[in-house]
Structure formats: C-alpha cells, structure tokens
Amino acid sequence: MLPAPKTWIEVSRSALRANAATLKRLAGRGVSFVAVVKSNAYGHGIPQVVRSLRSSADWYGVDSIDEAVTVRAAGAKQPVPILGYTLEGRLKEAVDRGFRLTVYNDATIRRLAKVATAKKPARVHVKIETGTSRQGVLADDLLPFVARARRNK
C-alpha cells in the first residue's frame, strides 16, 4: 500500500470565479478574458477549471490539440487557441474541429493552406518572438510574414 500523499490541491471555484471577474473588470469593456488552462490547467484539472469559469471565460488557451479536445469535452463553446506547436499531421484535425492555431513559420502556413476549406477555414494567430528565443516571428520579419500568410485563402 502506498503512503498517503504529503501534498494536495484544493481549488475554490468561488475564488476562481471572483478572480476572473476582477480581471475582467480591471481590463475594461471590450477586452476578452482568455483563461489559459494549458498543462492540465497548471495541475488543477482542465475539466474542473473550464466548468468553474464557464460563464467568465471568453476564450480558453491551451498548449496542444489534445488539451483543446479536453476543453471541448468539458462543454466549452468558446474559441480555443492552441498556443503551442501543432504537429503537421494534426493541423487538419485542428482546423476541422474549429480550433485556432498559433503560427510563426511558412511551413505551417503552407500546410494550413492545403487543409483549410471555405467551410472549415484555418483561424490563426501570429506568435511574435518576445526575447525567449523559443519560437515566434522576429519583429523585423513580422510584416513580410503576415503578408505571405494573407496570400493564402
């Protein structure tokens, strides 16, 4: 028999909702509230957090397509941007499911142009490199990248 865990997490749904309401109030009207629930809602459970914020979140941000599917399975109807990298072989699935994708390279744009249709368009958000040197379009390359992306239907 395993020993009882030394640590655990208790999440207050009312505190979560109150925090979301405060953030929305401080941001002001016309600003969307994106509840970032990547990494299993930072260990708190995507389904539990999504259900808690159902009436507060305008969007849910995730790291992967699998997390996006979990958000949908929890009943969320809001837009779900995938903030992390999506494998080329799963781009069609992401488009077909209506998820939004983060893009920062021409290869992804070209692949999306092949899998998107008028009925199932690819909805994308451009990731800008902010100094972490992980991924993103460099500031000097941003306008040409966006221009190339826009040439695709």
Side-chain angles (χ1 to χ4, degrees):
M1 176 182 263
L2 294 174
K6 294 182 200 178
T7 58
W8 64 90
I9 296 173
E10 292 183 20
V11 178
S12 166
R13 287 185 174 170
S14 61
L16 206 55
R17 288 184 193 113
N19 289 346
T22 298
L23 288 170
K24 287 181 81 158
R25 182 177 45 76
L26 291 172
R29 292 181 184 197
V31 177
S32 295
F33 173 61
V34 181
V36 178
V37 295
K38 66 182 187 164
S39 301
N40 196 29
Y42 297 94
H44 296 88
I46 287 175
Q48 295 86 345
V49 172
V50 167
R51 285 193 290 272
S52 295
L53 295 177
R54 183 166 285 140
S55 61
S56 302
D58 300 305
W59 296 45
Y60 290 100
V62 298
D63 180 59
S64 67
I65 190 168
D66 295 320
E67 289 182 343
V69 170
T70 301
V71 167
R72 283 284 180 257
K77 305 289 186 222
Q78 295 91 327
V80 180
I82 298 172
L83 305 173
Y85 176 74
T86 301
L87 294 171
E88 184 177 317
R90 297 196 74 188
L91 290 174
K92 181 172 179 11
E93 177 186 358
V95 169
D96 287 347
R97 289 177 175 261
F99 300 133
R100 294 165 181 262
L101 294 155
T102 300
V103 297
Y104 54 89
N105 63 47
D106 290 315
T108 301
I109 295 294
R110 284 191 300 272
R111 178 70 178 141
L112 287 171
K114 291 179 182 177
V115 301
T117 66
K119 287 187 177 183
K120 299 275 184 170
R123 300 191 189 286
V124 300
H125 300 266
V126 176
K127 181 173 179 74
I128 301 169
E129 171 56 53
T130 60
T132 60
S133 299
R134 291 187 296 214
Q135 56 184 208
V137 178
L138 296 173
D140 290 345
D141 299 330
L142 181 61
L143 293 178
F145 177 79
V146 170
R148 288 191 306 275
R150 284 186 167 176
R151 284 195 287 268
N152 293 282
K153 294 181 184 179

